[in-house]
């Protein structure tokens, strides 16, 4: 594992106007192996979007779940799923998605 990443957890907080806003609160920094898997272009809302899927492997943790975010070199990777890599609770494999809008 050669990449340094930061794990963030989504917290929903209330606004003064009565709505809710999602904030990502830092949990910890981890060593990981990050690999890009696939990329595709499409449309989202009123613009073009690029979605890239990544595989992130870290030491096993019980607290990583879908909805968390991994920050890798300034890029936001949203955790889609997290599963024990080999059944021995040594490594955790996270499927992540990165979406960027291009106008």
């Amino acid at each position: 594992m050669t990449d340094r990443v930061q794990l963030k957890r989504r917290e929903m907080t209330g606004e003064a106007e009565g709505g809710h806003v999602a904030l990502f609160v830092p949990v910890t920094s981890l060593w990981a192996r990050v690999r890009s898997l696939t990329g595709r272009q499409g449309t989202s809302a009123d613009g073009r979007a690029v979605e890239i899927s990544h595989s992130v492997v870290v030491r096993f943790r019980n607290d990583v779940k879908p909805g968390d975010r991994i920050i890798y070199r300034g890029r936001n990777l949203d955790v889609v799923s997290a599963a024990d890599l080999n059944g021995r609770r040594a490594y955790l494999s996270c499927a992540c998605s990165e979406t960027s809008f291009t106008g």
Side-chain angles (χ1 to χ4, degrees), residues 20-31:
H20 290 86
V21 65
L23 298 174
F24 285 90
V25 180
V27 175
T28 188
S29 292
L30 304 166
W31 287 103

Side-chain angles (χ1 to χ4, degrees), residues 12-82:
M12 297 298 286
T13 60
E15 291 183 321
E17 294 82 22
H20 290 86
V21 65
L23 298 174
F24 285 90
V25 180
V27 175
T28 188
S29 292
L30 304 166
W31 287 103
R33 185 186 77 207
V34 180
R35 299 289 179 257
S36 296
L37 299 176
T38 62
R40 65 183 175 116
Q41 293 182 344
T43 57
S44 178
D46 290 336
R48 291 177 289 180
V50 177
E51 184 173 336
I52 304 169
S53 64
H54 298 271
S55 172
V56 180
V57 177
V58 297
R59 288 280 184 187
F60 186 82
R61 299 175 59 96
N62 286 325
D63 62 344
V64 179
K65 59 185 184 286
D68 290 347
R69 181 171 281 178
I70 294 174
I71 309 299
Y72 170 64
R73 294 184 180 173
R75 299 162 68 178
N76 297 323
L77 309 179
D78 295 319
V79 177
V80 177
S81 67

